[in-house]
Amino acid sequence: MSAAGAPGTGVADLVIAHGLVVNATGRRLAHVVVDAGRVTAVVDAAEPVPAAERVIDASGRVVIPGGIDGHCHVAQVTGRWRTLDDYAVTSAAALWGGTTTILDFGIPRDAGETPLAAAANKLALAAEARCDVALHGAVIDWDETVPAQLEELARLGIRSVKMYMTNRGSTMADNDTVLKVMREMVRLDGLTYIHAEHDAMIVDCTQEHADAGRIGIGHLHETRPELAEEASVREVLAMAEYTGAPVYFVHQSTPGAVDLVAEARARGVEAHSETCPHYLVLDDGVYSSQFPEWYACCPPMRSAETVAALRGRFADGSIHTVSSDHSCYDLGQKRERTDDIRHMPHGLPGVETRMPVAFTALAEGWDAGGTGAAGDGAAPDGIGLLERFVDLFAAAPARINALPGKGAVAPGFDADLVVFDPSEARTVDGTALHMGTDFSPFHGRSLRGWPQHVVAGGRVVLDQDGFHDPGPVGRFVPRLGYRESLAAPAPAPAASVGAAAPEGQ
């Protein structure tokens, strides 16, 4: 109970009343009851509002589980570049944006730092987090100590390992290392995360552009072709199929890459596709804009045709999660070497804008796919727009990353909740966000899906009065085994998919 309430009084800490409660499995009009940091009941809206220390009236709005961003880089050091954020800043920005759990990476800074030491360093820094945090490990080079280090990471609840198929000389893992780590992940019931771009193709293409004097930021998209991503996905899927390892592809930017994963899944490979908001709404025309440095990331933005096709995969369920790939550089860092993309930092701030960009992209893709968002028509699998969004934004990241107590509005789950009006639009002001940088790649865009209330661990951290900093209360969340988690019972559905919805959803 809260300090204001006394145990045994029957008065809950918080009730979110009269909202449309949406899980990935369905929806219902209900009151959500919160006590001691957890959801204790979801009560039909026809019933009286339960007694509580605080009641938030969510009439006409949607209540969903707090977002889970499975791909963030906090206080990341790569070569001579360091992102400008820390856990206090990034976790607060996440909460501003409706994300209540972030997953960061313990990536070794150099050849002298072990995977275990890199993860321990991030765990220490995460003590300042305002929201809950989980971690991925990372392996660059294989040696005889790696199996024991991976065992220790698993014991700590760090059950995934990221490897890069590119970035020669810094974070890249060779194929022998990838194969050996996959075998260890099978043994430890873990998940292999992969940055899939074919290094030899990228190195060769980049050198050709450098030789031709076309190596500035305006040519970034030309140096990293779609084929390089898809060739790498194909190769990694073959290794995953050979070893039996579950695999998760970060920031997929082409429909071809997504389709390769779908084809592998049809053969029984446990593979997952992630994309990022920027690949859904920005195309490679940004590199001829006034500020091309705003869009320096890898993979780069793709053609308008590719973006449209990717958005279709996003709407039809072929993509499983949407993550920010948050990397907090500022314009000073970005502009230092715009003349040579090989020497500038790549990565975009996005943890705060993930929810509205993803929701807007999904709604637009829903309409384009003929599923009838204007009348809440369901997709062929019977799922509506809001359910699909909840799955991408919270439920699937929780399920795939084996995060206990996350990803659903249901009794016994953590009281991580977001209240929003799907019809409300706001225009992004990149200078008014809270990510510790001075720009946003989405500046000036009108987006829907902004959180109005955010509850994290039972605390109201965002409401009509603004942000209420809870202090460093974020918890480290140990994860379950990948297959162990998938075998667990799913949370009960909120109700049937056919329940009423606000207009347009």
Side-chain angles (χ1 to χ4, degrees):
M1 299 292 292
S2 66
T9 64
V11 177
D13 292 339
L14 173 70
V15 168
I16 300 177
H18 300 293
L20 180 70
V21 178
V22 180
N23 282 318
T25 50
R27 61 180 73 182
R28 67 185 290 193
L29 291 169
H31 315 306
V32 180
V33 184
V34 172
D35 212 28
R38 292 188 177 270
V39 175
T40 57
V42 181
V43 180
D44 192 273
E47 299 295 323
V49 177
E53 295 295 324
R54 179 173 180 179
V55 175
I56 293 173
D57 183 4
S59 299
R61 290 173 290 168
V62 174
V63 184
I64 65 174
I68 297 168
D69 192 337
H71 186 171
C72 287
H73 298 279
V74 185
Q76 183 64 47
V77 177
T78 304
R80 71 182 188 88
W81 300 106
R82 185 198 184 281
T83 58
L84 298 177
D85 59 341
D86 56 26
Y87 272 97
V89 168
T90 296
S91 60
L95 293 171
W96 271 101
T99 290
T100 52
T101 304
I102 61 174
L103 283 83
D104 187 19
F105 298 85
I107 301 173
R109 298 183 182 188
D110 51 49
E113 187 172 38
T114 65
L116 190 57
N121 176 57
K122 284 300 184 78
L123 281 174
L125 295 175
E128 294 300 313
R130 271 60 180 161
C131 72
D132 287 351
V133 175
L135 281 180
H136 308 288
V139 174
I140 298 171
D141 298 305
W142 180 269
D143 63 44
E144 69 278 2
T145 71
V146 170
Q149 291 188 63
L150 296 179
E151 285 184 11
E152 179 62 13
L153 290 175
R155 189 190 68 78
L156 294 170
I158 301 170
R159 304 297 288 264
S160 56
V161 168
K162 183 178 183 181
M163 289 176 287
Y164 290 80
M165 306 305 293
T166 189
N167 301 337
R168 188 181 306 183
S170 59
T171 56
M172 178 180 168
D174 62 29
N175 281 359
D176 288 341
T177 296
V178 173
L179 197 70
K180 290 174 181 176
V181 169
M182 282 184 168
R183 288 198 184 281
E184 292 300 308
M185 289 294 98
V186 172
R187 181 173 70 87
L188 297 169
D189 195 14
L191 179 62
T192 301
Y193 264 54
I194 294 288
H195 174 132
E197 289 185 287
H198 194 284
D199 188 70
M201 289 185 187
I202 290 171
V203 168
D204 184 72
C205 191
T206 300
Q207 189 60 53
E208 284 190 355
H209 279 75
D211 292 344
R214 296 165 50 231
I215 199 62
I217 182 59
H219 300 283
L220 174 62
H221 59 300
E222 300 166 356
T223 66
R224 304 180 91 95
E226 293 184 19
L227 180 60
E229 180 174 346
E230 293 167 16
S232 183
V233 169
R234 186 177 289 108
E235 182 177 39
V236 171
L237 283 169
M239 288 192 281
E241 190 166 7
Y242 175 70
T243 60
V247 62
Y248 178 108
F249 291 94
V250 298
H251 52 50
Q252 293 199 307
S253 67
T254 78
V258 174
D259 291 347
L260 286 167
V261 171
E263 292 162 7
R265 288 173 63 86
R267 299 194 303 272
V269 180
E270 295 171 291
H272 304 279
S273 290
E274 168 199 283
T275 196
C276 302
H278 41 282
Y279 299 121
L280 297 167
V281 300
L282 301 173
D283 63 52
D284 59 14
V286 298
Y287 297 113
S288 58
S289 68
Q290 183 180 6
F291 302 113
E293 66 274 12
W294 288 10
Y295 311 102
C297 62
C298 299
M301 309 314 167
R302 303 302 191 184
S303 70
E305 294 77 14
T306 293
V307 172
L310 187 72
R311 196 157 51 235
R313 304 301 195 277
F314 191 58
D316 71 17
S318 299
I319 292 170
H320 306 109
T321 68
V322 58
S323 302
S324 67
D325 193 6
H326 176 79
S327 296
C328 188
Y329 302 104
D330 71 0
L331 290 176
Q333 292 171 304
K334 292 283 189 183
R335 288 171 174 161
E336 187 174 326
R337 287 304 306 270
T338 56
D339 64 308
D340 192 332
I341 57 173
R342 297 170 297 181
H343 302 294
M344 69 182 297
H346 294 276
L348 305 177
V351 70
E352 186 174 352
T353 49
R354 182 177 71 110
M355 180 175 174
V357 180
F359 183 80
T360 300
L362 184 64
E364 291 174 353
W366 206 258
D367 283 334
T371 45
D376 195 35
D381 57 9
I383 295 297
L385 167 63
L386 291 171
E387 287 83 0
R388 180 81 83 220
F389 178 70
V390 168
D391 200 44
L392 287 157
F393 182 66
R399 183 173 63 249
I400 294 168
N401 288 292
L403 291 163
K406 303 290 185 184
V409 184
F413 278 66
D414 290 348
D416 298 335
L417 306 163
V418 176
V419 180
F420 77 109
D421 178 354
S423 65
E424 180 197 12
R426 303 181 196 171
T427 299
V428 179
D429 179 353
T431 65
L433 297 172
H434 309 88
M435 293 181 282
T437 186
D438 53 359
F439 79 103
S440 166
F442 310 110
H443 179 78
R445 300 184 73 92
S446 178
L447 301 173
R448 294 161 51 200
W450 296 88
Q452 296 179 347
H453 290 78
V454 176
V455 178
R459 303 175 181 86
V460 179
V461 295
L462 182 70
D463 61 15
Q464 67 278 2
D465 296 323
F467 185 69
H468 308 283
D469 187 346
V473 297
R475 302 168 299 172
F476 170 68
V477 183
R479 293 153 62 195
L480 304 175
Y482 172 82
R483 294 189 173 114
E484 173 192 8
S485 177
L486 292 183
S496 65
V497 171
E503 177 103 23
Q505 308 312 317

